[in-house]
Amino acid sequence: MMRRPELDHILNTMLDSQPEVSDLLFTVDRPLQVEACGELKPVTLDPPIEKLTPYHTEAIALNLIGENQWHLQDLMRKGSCDTSYQLGDRARFRVNVFAQRGHYSIVCRKLNTQIPTLATLKHPEILTHIPKEKTGLVLVTGATGSGKSTTLAAILNEVNLTKAVHIVTLEDPVEFVYPNVRATFNQREQGTDFDNFAGGLRAALRQAPKIILVGEMRDRETVSIALSAAETGHLVLSTLHTIDAGQTINRILGMFDPDEQEQIRARLADSLRWIVGQRLVPKAGGGRHPLLEIMGSNLRIQETVRLGESEGKSFYEIIEASYAFGWKTFDQAALEAYQDGKITEETALLYCSKRGVVTRGIDNMRKARGEMTSNVGSLRMKGIIESSTNGNATPTLTVKLR
């Protein structure tokens, strides 16, 4: 039976195998693997393990779960469970153990132990307005692994340094462990401290917080309680797996019945403060770069949330028109990053929302730099002009192209 020191040795070896490891993967009939800069790479142990067996993955899973009966029951009943694991002082992991084809597989996401700041993340300065909010709803959106939790941690870190308030976090699992600087943190983990986000959020309203972090808006009940909290003087921070601001609004509305949506639109229009969308893209020269879509709240946004998008009143167009105020679409963020040399043209076109907008933007940048944007200027017409009367009084000209 594998013991914890053996597991820690394996995890340390995997972390040492590549720079910038983001995930550790354990799958039956595959070697140990790490994801670094978006690519899976095998890891060699001493003695070597060429392919993991069902025994290997089960032993690793049980060590990662430990004695938490809640997580073991989830794994048995639902086929997967989420937990966290602390590797000494070196790293923390968010762990998902799941069954596939009768065996267990494991993915460990490496979490940053050092709490980031908005400055170290090099996020736009406008995000410094978010920690100053008193009430309302702030959503950070994007795919898994796009850095949503990191951005929220930087926002809470800013609050911690500037405000003496009570903050309750509901996480799955706890990622960053915050020191109590000026703020007081109570960090609760799903599966250990509470059953589900809706129940944890309902309980949080009786715990006198000023700020509540909800790990994810997973269902209608969680969204409804979060809106109630935002309306009653709390600042609620959360995440959604959506690709942009418009889809975020539609996803929330889609959780409710059609006859409820008008009321939800009105509540959302009043409560919503910010939506920050994130995409992590390959950086020119290696590594990854975050592209951020940033939407705040103004009268046009509130009207569009209440009445729905229409011609000339889409969230995309409103954000685009508010670029001077610090808001930006993903396309504007991609063009900024391309202009600064942080990403290539290919990456900008691959990760943008509207390819035509970015193509035109790149062409305009090239024209401004005096570069050719097409080879039309190099085309020349070659031919012979022939003159004949063909028996008529008026001669005709014929051009024969070569």
Side-chain angles (χ1 to χ4, degrees), residues 272-309:
L272 189 65
R273 297 290 179 268
W274 297 90
I275 295 178
V276 179
Q278 296 196 185
R279 295 175 188 173
L280 272 187
V281 306
K283 192 174 183 179
R288 291 188 289 180
H289 176 76
L291 297 181
L292 266 61
E293 177 189 74
I294 302 169
M295 184 183 90
S297 178
N298 61 18
L299 290 175
R300 288 187 71 196
I301 291 292
Q302 290 170 18
E303 183 187 16
T304 307
V305 172
R306 279 195 175 90
L307 303 177
E309 293 181 286

Side-chain angles (χ1 to χ4, degrees), residues 186-401:
N186 277 295
Q187 296 184 252
R188 309 186 70 209
E189 186 167 303
Q190 183 174 7
T192 303
D193 305 313
F194 66 93
D195 187 12
N196 55 56
F197 281 127
L201 186 50
R202 194 179 288 107
L205 295 177
R206 298 191 295 273
Q207 291 154 8
K210 285 288 183 288
I211 299 174
I212 306 170
L213 170 69
V214 185
E216 188 184 336
M217 296 284 197
R218 288 182 179 168
D219 53 55
R220 157 191 170 146
E221 192 178 6
T222 305
V223 172
S224 185
I225 301 168
L227 282 172
S228 297
E231 289 163 343
T232 53
H234 303 84
L235 179 62
V236 181
L237 310 174
S238 191
T239 70
L240 271 170
H241 290 140
T242 47
I243 59 169
D244 58 27
Q247 193 191 77
T248 301
I249 302 294
N250 292 332
R251 173 73 58 85
I252 291 172
L253 293 171
M255 293 179 185
F256 295 86
D257 296 332
D259 59 335
E260 298 174 289
Q261 288 189 7
E262 188 177 343
Q263 183 191 13
I264 295 300
R265 280 185 181 277
R267 294 176 68 190
L268 198 55
D270 290 338
S271 300
L272 189 65
R273 297 290 179 268
W274 297 90
I275 295 178
V276 179
Q278 296 196 185
R279 295 175 188 173
L280 272 187
V281 306
K283 192 174 183 179
R288 291 188 289 180
H289 176 76
L291 297 181
L292 266 61
E293 177 189 74
I294 302 169
M295 184 183 90
S297 178
N298 61 18
L299 290 175
R300 288 187 71 196
I301 291 292
Q302 290 170 18
E303 183 187 16
T304 307
V305 172
R306 279 195 175 90
L307 303 177
E309 293 181 286
S310 58
E311 187 68 37
K313 284 187 178 178
S314 69
F315 292 110
Y316 183 95
E317 289 164 314
I318 298 170
I319 298 168
E320 192 176 42
S322 302
Y323 182 73
F325 301 104
W327 299 13
K328 64 181 79 172
T329 63
F330 277 118
D331 296 342
Q332 289 168 327
L335 287 169
E336 277 182 10
Y338 170 75
Q339 189 167 29
D340 294 342
K342 291 173 181 171
I343 63 173
T344 63
E345 178 183 351
E346 184 185 6
T347 298
L349 293 171
L350 191 61
Y351 288 90
C352 65
S353 297
K354 296 187 178 182
R355 196 180 179 95
V357 171
V358 174
T359 302
R360 285 194 299 275
I362 290 173
D363 282 350
N364 289 337
M365 286 179 199
R366 285 179 168 170
K367 284 175 188 170
R369 293 197 294 251
E371 296 176 17
M372 296 289 290
T373 57
S374 72
N375 60 356
V376 173
S378 64
L379 298 177
R380 288 185 302 166
M381 183 178 285
K382 294 181 180 179
I384 300 171
I385 298 177
E386 295 180 351
S387 174
S388 67
T389 59
N390 292 329
N392 299 323
T394 306
T396 61
L397 296 178
T398 306
V399 178
K400 292 185 178 179
L401 295 178

